[in-house]
Amino acid sequence: MSQTPSPHLPEPDRPWMMRTYAGHSDAKRSNQLYRRNLEKGQTGLSIAFDLPTQTGYDPDHELARGEVGKVGVSIAHEGDMATLLDSIPLDQMNTSMTINATAAWLLALYIVAADAQGVQQEKLQGTTQNDILKEYLSRGTYAFPPGPSMRLIADTIAYTVQHIPKWNPINICSYHLQEAGATPVQEIAFTMGNAIAVLDAVKPRVPQELMGSVFGRISFFVNAGVRFVEEHAKLRAMAVLWDELGRDRYGVEDERHRRLRYGVQVNSLGLTEAQPENNVYRIALEALAVTLGRGARARAIQLPAWNEALGLPRPWDQQWSLRLQQILAYETDLLEYPDIFEGSKVMEGLVSELLAGARTEMQRVAQLGGAVDAVDYMKAALVESQRKRWQRIESGEQVVVGMNRFISTEASPLRAGADGGILVVDPEVEAEQRAAVERWRADRDPSAVDGALQELARIARDDTENVMPATIAAARAGVTTGEWAHTLREAFGEYRAPTGVTEAAAPASEEVSELRTEVERVSEALGRRLKLLVGKPGLDGHSNGAEQIAVRARDAGMDVVYEGIRLTPWQIATSAAQEGVHVVGLSILSGSHRELIPAVLDALREAGVEDVPVVVGGIIPDADADALREAGIAAVYTPKDWNLNGMMRDIIELVAEPPDASGTARSGEAGRRAGGGPEGLETAVGA
Amino acid sequence: MTERTRASGRDLGTRLREGDLAAAPAALNLLESRTPDAREQAEALLAEVSPAALGHEPPAHVIGLTGPPGVGKSSLLSRLIREWRDRGRSVAVLAVDPSSRRSGGSLLGDRARIEIDPRDRQVFIRSTAAGERLGGLAPATRTAAQALAAAFDVVVIETVGVGQSETDIVDTADTVAVVLQPASGDVLQFLKAGIMEVPDVLVLTKSDLGSAAKRALADLHAALAALGAGATPVCAVSSVPPPTGIPALADALEAHHAGLDLSGHRLRARRRQALDEFVAEHGERGLRALGGRLEAQRWLERQDETLDASSLERSLEARTQESP
């Protein structure tokens, strides 16, 4: 008879790395925040960059308007990076950077800043997210076309494997796929497809004997939703597939190299604006999904804050989330046991179900030529999943407590403070940063900068060389983020990712059929079909909400002009004028609505579009909403307006009975009444 | 409830004729509109930009740019627009959306892929719906092209499809360019089998693809020679940086236009178009009332050469009502 294995570990496990996704305004303010967070017991750093930094624009670029320092810190050059990391010993720190299109650049700045501290690159530990496919699919902060982007990723991997051995050069993200609506099966399959594309791109760029180390350095960044049992099974299924892939496709012999290593930020998608205090429970349950079973436990965790559907979290909100991790790790007995699901028939069954589905879906991606070529397919599949999910929520089939069920509530004291319960970035930051980058440019050696950029351009055009050394040299020469990215844009070209919003309309539910009848009636009277422009101004790439609006409007029978993300106010105004639309809908989740919405209104006026109603959706605090309505916005929608059909009815009504000619906007009560913003589909700060 | 800022059709037509590009959006709103009042206004607009009113053919170069999905038409168009702008031309693009109309609604996403300077008022892009037939143009697209041709230097109609029923675009454009990419084998087959008419200009995109592009180019030349159309210009272009072949393509398009008997070409096209639209509206029965297709064609040939297609179609309609 065999002995029953002990239900206890000889020694409790060490806790996972605890981080908070943080950063805002400028390097100095963020540095202070990091040092405070580390004092509170946080064990690693997780840097949030602002959108201009993520997409490769300096603070004084036209597209950076309204976005500087909003969803993260603005880092324009190595001086900023040095300030950001001041007094944080980089030989001991483990730093995760949520940076993708410009990952090679920010890694170079980090290397140079460490060097200035006297820390050699060999000693550095941390992670660059560096995953471009999910940027095309969901998050939107891409800069270059797929081919050159994959090369940049392969170059950073090849470089770090040889020079910074403890660095995780890429964190392949399933996180944002779930935010975009992925089912667990899609999340697993698309992520594995993505990993294969990355590994295949690295293969010809490193010596064969290093492929084992390459495989071992690939880590994942996953999501965990509130269905935490299934979510845990999902991670176990990913571990199985990863092990198989390493063994069978890449011949990785060392078992340790084939272990799934992942960090996590739990779900933001399911966090609600309504009764936001409930989000704390959701976050706690989601944290269990990634910690309960030792067999597939996270290596690093960062938790969102209770108020992310309202706006940016304050330091106190983030502390509250950090404490949750600490209670889980230090108060509970979680870390004292071997894998508690081992031998569980239910867990085993769930895992094999997910594996079967994922294998089929992985095959489809492979048949399309791999994940890079399958971006269009995957994007359309995600938009479709999100559409179905939203329909289930609207019909009440999927319960969201406090939002579509158990709605009656007391006023929340958490929102009673003068700040409304969120962080507001000082609007002066942008002007300061613009001036600062101009000073930086004036103070450096121009010939060194020119030389570094010329060399970078040459390497960019020569696919056989690694772009990292020239990038590090550029960082040392004082090149700015915008200059680095501009040089590569010139060499690589620009790119617009597919919107995933397909032409064909979905079968209509009864309610959508009614909308169609209404659209027909109004279109008949107008003489041509009701035409809606859905626009996303600014650098915010969170397009899931805008896509669902476009899809629903199309299903309701409207002609929808949707051009994807990252549009200037002028582009939106020009489209509205040239396309002859009857109504304009704008979506912004990055908190830049106060700057960008008035800029769009000005551009519309200048383009001669005077009488077209404009509605806005986004993470917009009440005080800002009032100001927007005063500025002429016909209706403002926030995550608590989640009924899309209601929003469609509003839009039809706005066109049928336009606001009166005196120029005063309607109170927006029509918008508030029925509601209808799917902006709760995502939050501005989803890592 | 009507469009709130509807200028009169005649005014809009006059403004276009005088080169006021800012009149384009309102003109197209009107031409797309189906209310009886709007249709009357639209006729007035079209009369203002007809050869009769202009005293000559509209000077614009109307180009049909067609090809299968995914071959890079939008990237190509972005580069071409830049080239034309550098040459001082104003450009209007009608991007035809291929989506089905069954559900009523549609998603117009094409313009997103065409990169332009949004502050440049000399460039105009409008998404428009497709016609009933595969590769067909909606009536509003044809009239839009006529109206824009009075004001812009270049009018491009961008459509998806190849070779099957592109008669619409042949009737509307002065120059038809078919765009393909290396390994578009089916297009080559269509050409060889005569399913597709030989276009005025062939464009091969993605010429940066090296040997695949060279092979495709050789195949195209061989097929054209076999069809006795060896003189057809074939332009290899690449839209990725550094772009190549764009000025040569612009030259080839221009050369075709210059070599055209423009008034003869457009006259024949207008007459064909009038008859097509008449048949679409009234069917075979209508055609019999005109004494058959041949008789109708002969009758059209006797009409005033400066009449626009819509007027001709109306005359055909009037004729059926006269006949017993």
Side-chain angles (χ1 to χ4, degrees):
Chain A
M1 257 187 67
S2 68
Q3 242 185 335
T4 316
S6 165
H8 302 279
L9 290 171
E11 284 286 322
D13 280 326
R14 268 193 314 156
W16 51 86
M17 176 93 52
M18 296 183 192
R19 296 187 174 118
T20 305
Y21 182 61
H24 64 83
S25 308
D26 60 8
K28 195 161 169 225
R29 290 178 177 94
S30 295
N31 174 262
Q32 287 161 355
L33 175 65
Y34 296 162
R35 284 154 68 179
R36 269 207 312 280
N37 284 350
L38 291 168
E39 277 166 25
K40 289 173 185 162
Q42 185 177 304
T43 51
L45 281 184
S46 171
I47 302 180
F49 296 100
D50 72 355
L51 290 168
T53 307
Q54 292 188 49
T55 49
Y57 296 104
D58 282 336
D60 54 353
H61 190 279
E62 184 190 6
L63 270 170
R65 182 165 172 188
E67 307 278 11
V68 177
K70 279 281 158 57
V71 301
V73 58
S74 166
I75 298 293
H77 45 72
E78 78 49 42
D80 280 345
M81 189 61 106
T83 306
L84 183 71
L85 302 168
D86 181 39
S87 305
I88 298 172
L90 295 186
D91 50 347
Q92 293 157 48
M93 190 42 57
N94 192 313
T95 306
S96 166
M97 294 193 265
T98 298
I99 196 71
N100 294 281
T102 55
W105 173 246
L106 273 299
L107 175 59
L109 292 179
Y110 193 82
I111 292 169
V112 173
D115 203 30
Q117 283 191 8
V119 177
Q120 294 189 331
Q121 58 177 0
E122 288 74 19
K123 297 225 177 89
L124 297 177
Q125 291 185 67
T127 306
T128 32
Q129 194 165 76
N130 206 13
D131 167 13
I132 205 67
L133 291 184
K134 66 93 175 49
E135 296 295 331
Y136 299 145
L137 291 174
S138 166
R139 195 167 170 276
T141 69
Y142 52 81
F144 317 112
S149 294
M150 294 304 283
R151 175 205 167 182
L152 283 177
I153 291 170
D155 279 355
T156 48
I157 296 174
Y159 183 84
T160 55
V161 164
Q162 295 174 71
H163 302 288
I164 319 177
K166 282 191 270 180
W167 196 264
N168 298 310
I170 183 168
N171 226 354
I172 295 178
C173 296
S174 81
Y175 180 87
H176 312 85
L177 305 185
Q178 183 173 124
E179 298 289 305
T183 62
V185 161
Q186 287 173 329
E187 198 183 325
I188 300 169
F190 294 172
T191 304
M192 288 296 148
N194 186 350
I196 291 171
V198 169
L199 285 161
D200 287 356
V202 183
K203 222 173 157 185
R205 302 182 86 82
V206 296
Q208 176 55 34
E209 66 271 17
L210 279 182
M211 270 315 275
S213 315
V214 166
F215 199 88
R217 285 328 297 176
I218 306 258
S219 60
F220 292 83
F221 186 67
V222 310
N223 202 331
V226 79
R227 293 170 54 81
F228 69 100
V229 180
E230 186 182 39
E231 291 291 76
H232 184 71
K234 176 187 80 187
L235 292 159
R236 298 174 88 91
M238 283 175 75
V240 171
L241 287 171
W242 188 238
D243 181 64
E244 271 179 24
L245 209 60
R247 198 185 52 223
D248 302 343
R249 189 181 171 105
Y250 298 100
V252 178
E253 279 160 22
D254 189 338
E255 201 187 327
R256 284 169 310 171
H257 282 155
R258 301 200 306 262
R259 236 171 253 162
L260 179 81
R261 298 181 309 127
Y262 72 89
V264 65
Q265 157 111 1
V266 304
N267 189 292
S268 289
L269 176 68
L271 301 187
T272 59
E273 181 186 359
Q275 302 179 28
E277 60 280 358
N278 298 342
N279 292 329
V280 172
Y281 302 128
R282 294 190 177 101
I283 295 164
L285 293 168
E286 289 162 357
L288 288 180
V290 294
T291 52
L292 263 183
R294 188 173 189 256
R297 184 174 291 151
R299 303 283 178 118
I301 297 179
Q302 53 192 38
L303 297 177
W306 67 279
N307 55 352
E308 289 201 9
L310 310 179
L312 294 174
R314 301 158 299 187
W316 177 80
D317 306 312
Q318 296 201 315
Q319 175 188 314
W320 197 6
S321 287
L322 175 65
R323 295 293 182 247
L324 196 164
Q325 294 203 55
Q326 291 165 332
I327 290 169
L328 205 54
Y330 297 110
E331 289 191 22
T332 78
D333 52 351
L334 191 69
L335 295 171
E336 296 169 17
Y337 309 112
D339 185 41
I340 61 170
F341 291 112
E342 200 177 304
S344 158
K345 291 215 170 66
V346 172
M347 188 51 72
E348 216 171 276
L350 271 176
V351 170
S352 31
E353 227 173 67
L354 290 170
L355 278 175
R359 287 204 167 96
T360 311
E361 196 60 18
M362 280 171 76
Q363 228 160 20
R364 188 164 308 160
V365 171
Q367 278 163 359
L368 289 167
V372 177
D373 289 330
V375 163
D376 288 52
Y377 161 74
M378 292 191 287
K379 179 69 185 175
L382 292 175
V383 170
E384 179 58 16
S385 293
Q386 188 79 292
R387 185 186 68 76
K388 287 186 181 149
R389 173 178 169 271
W390 208 252
Q391 234 164 28
R392 286 195 302 275
I393 291 175
E394 283 180 306
S395 70
E397 185 189 334
Q398 183 169 336
V399 174
V400 183
V401 171
M403 194 175 98
N404 68 358
R405 207 161 160 192
F406 314 115
I407 302 168
S408 64
T409 181
E410 310 299 332
S412 168
L414 283 178
R415 300 188 64 177
D419 56 7
I422 52 168
L423 175 85
V424 179
V425 172
D426 181 354
E428 289 309 306
V429 165
E430 186 159 319
E432 284 168 26
Q433 288 301 100
R434 291 168 95 97
V437 76
E438 274 173 37
R439 275 198 308 275
W440 176 268
R441 288 197 204 100
D443 283 351
R444 54 189 190 174
D445 171 7
S447 65
V449 169
D450 288 350
L453 289 175
Q454 272 170 27
E455 175 63 3
L456 179 68
R458 186 188 69 76
I459 301 274
R461 292 198 168 87
D462 180 355
D463 190 41
T464 62
E465 289 207 52
N466 191 312
V467 83
M468 274 310 290
T471 296
I472 295 169
R476 279 191 215 286
V479 164
T480 66
T481 301
E483 289 164 344
W484 178 84
H486 178 76
T487 303
L488 295 190
R489 281 189 165 99
E490 292 281 300
F492 296 155
E494 300 219 34
Y495 178 71
R496 288 197 81 78
T499 61
V501 183
T502 53
E503 285 86 359
S509 66
E510 199 176 313
E511 220 180 328
V512 173
S513 296
E514 282 167 22
L515 287 173
R516 262 186 209 177
T517 312
E518 198 50 23
V519 169
E520 290 302 324
R521 187 184 69 77
V522 172
S523 301
E524 199 64 35
L526 286 169
R528 61 193 177 98
R529 190 162 290 281
L530 203 166
K531 202 168 182 182
L532 163 73
L533 174 79
V534 178
K536 271 200 73 68
L539 288 175
D540 171 32
H542 292 85
S543 56
N544 302 328
E547 284 152 9
Q548 292 305 314
I549 299 283
V551 166
R552 184 62 56 89
R554 176 205 68 192
D555 290 351
M558 300 184 206
D559 274 349
V560 183
V561 180
Y562 176 57
E563 302 180 77
I565 59 167
R566 218 181 288 175
L567 302 173
T568 62
W570 265 99
Q571 280 171 313
I572 290 170
T574 300
S575 296
Q578 297 190 345
E579 292 294 344
V581 299
H582 298 102
V583 56
V584 173
L586 303 173
S587 160
I588 299 186
L589 291 99
S590 63
S592 56
H593 48 268
R594 288 203 288 199
E595 292 81 7
L596 285 176
I597 301 293
V600 173
L601 291 177
D602 286 347
L604 282 169
R605 265 189 293 274
E606 211 169 316
V609 184
E610 300 269 3
D611 50 359
V612 170
V614 180
V615 301
V616 174
I619 298 183
I620 295 170
D622 288 343
D624 292 358
D626 291 340
L628 290 176
R629 280 188 281 265
E630 264 163 46
I633 294 296
V636 176
Y637 301 96
T638 70
K640 74 169 165 289
D641 309 308
W642 50 273
N643 185 308
L644 284 184
N645 290 336
M647 183 192 243
M648 293 301 136
R649 273 192 293 277
D650 283 357
I651 287 175
I652 298 167
E653 205 179 300
L654 269 177
V655 175
E657 293 159 37
D660 62 60
S662 68
T664 50
R666 301 185 334 161
S667 68
E669 286 310 310
R672 286 294 185 186
R673 171 183 50 72
E679 311 295 357
L681 292 171
E682 53 198 342
T683 70
V685 284
Chain B
M1 183 174 51
T2 53
E3 295 279 347
R4 269 164 274 137
T5 51
R6 176 174 296 150
S8 85
R10 184 180 303 278
D11 281 354
L12 288 168
T14 312
R15 284 172 62 192
L16 285 175
R17 203 179 59 206
E18 287 166 0
D20 178 1
L21 306 186
L28 265 61
N29 290 353
L30 188 58
L31 292 173
E32 285 174 10
S33 189
R34 311 309 291 166
T35 61
D37 171 52
R39 299 194 70 161
E40 225 168 85
Q41 299 279 342
E43 274 165 31
L45 188 160
L46 289 171
E48 284 300 307
V49 295
S50 68
L54 289 166
H56 51 77
E57 285 295 326
H61 185 188
V62 182
I63 298 171
L65 194 74
T66 183
V71 295
K73 287 188 296 297
S74 304
S75 312
L76 171 66
L77 207 42
S78 308
R79 298 290 178 186
L80 266 175
I81 290 171
R82 204 172 299 174
E83 177 70 23
W84 282 320
R85 294 297 298 123
D86 286 347
R87 296 182 185 197
R89 312 273 158 77
S90 56
V91 185
V93 177
L94 295 165
V96 179
D97 170 63
S99 72
S100 139
R101 278 266 161 201
R102 255 172 315 178
S103 71
S106 70
L107 201 286
L108 309 165
D110 245 17
R111 65 176 298 129
R113 291 191 286 269
I114 306 173
E115 279 171 45
I116 55 161
D117 173 3
R119 289 172 198 258
D120 184 352
R121 295 287 168 235
Q122 308 269 307
V123 178
F124 174 81
I125 301 177
R126 177 85 161 204
S127 315
T128 107
E132 303 288 316
R133 287 156 294 144
L134 185 66
L137 300 181
T141 307
R142 302 190 191 196
T143 52
Q146 281 162 25
L148 294 172
F152 287 83
D153 298 325
V154 179
V155 177
V156 180
I157 304 165
E158 185 209 5
T159 62
V160 170
V162 100
Q164 315 215 353
S165 57
E166 255 88 77
T167 50
D168 281 3
I169 201 142
V170 172
D171 283 352
T172 313
D174 305 325
T175 304
V176 176
V178 169
V179 187
L180 15 148
Q181 64 180 359
S184 293
D186 44 350
V187 177
L188 204 60
Q189 293 310 320
F190 286 153
L191 246 183
K192 284 187 195 160
I195 296 170
M196 165 184 155
E197 270 191 65
V198 177
D200 303 316
V201 174
L202 270 162
V203 188
L204 184 73
T205 56
K206 309 186 184 176
S207 70
D208 53 310
L209 291 183
S211 61
K214 284 205 186 87
R215 204 163 42 244
L217 212 52
D219 287 351
L220 267 179
H221 281 298
L224 288 170
L227 289 164
T232 307
V234 180
C235 297
V237 299
S238 169
S239 304
V240 301
T244 55
I246 304 295
L249 171 58
D251 289 345
L253 293 168
E254 231 162 76
H256 176 266
H257 191 232
L260 210 57
D261 163 21
L262 196 63
S263 50
H265 178 87
R266 287 190 179 168
L267 175 60
R268 283 190 298 279
R270 280 199 293 276
R271 286 172 174 169
R272 269 202 307 270
Q273 194 180 322
L275 190 54
D276 282 355
E277 261 156 40
F278 174 86
V279 173
E281 191 80 14
H282 303 280
E284 289 299 317
R285 183 183 300 227
L287 208 50
R288 276 199 298 280
L290 291 173
R293 183 176 289 271
L294 215 58
E295 182 51 40
Q297 281 166 349
R298 285 200 198 104
W299 183 82
L300 280 168
E301 276 161 27
R302 293 195 298 273
Q303 305 309 304
D304 181 346
E305 299 197 347
T306 60
L307 286 176
D308 62 281
S310 307
S311 313
L312 286 171
E313 190 202 343
R314 280 197 303 280
S315 316
L316 285 172
E317 277 167 356
R319 219 172 124 68
T320 57
Q321 276 143 25
E322 287 162 15
S323 2

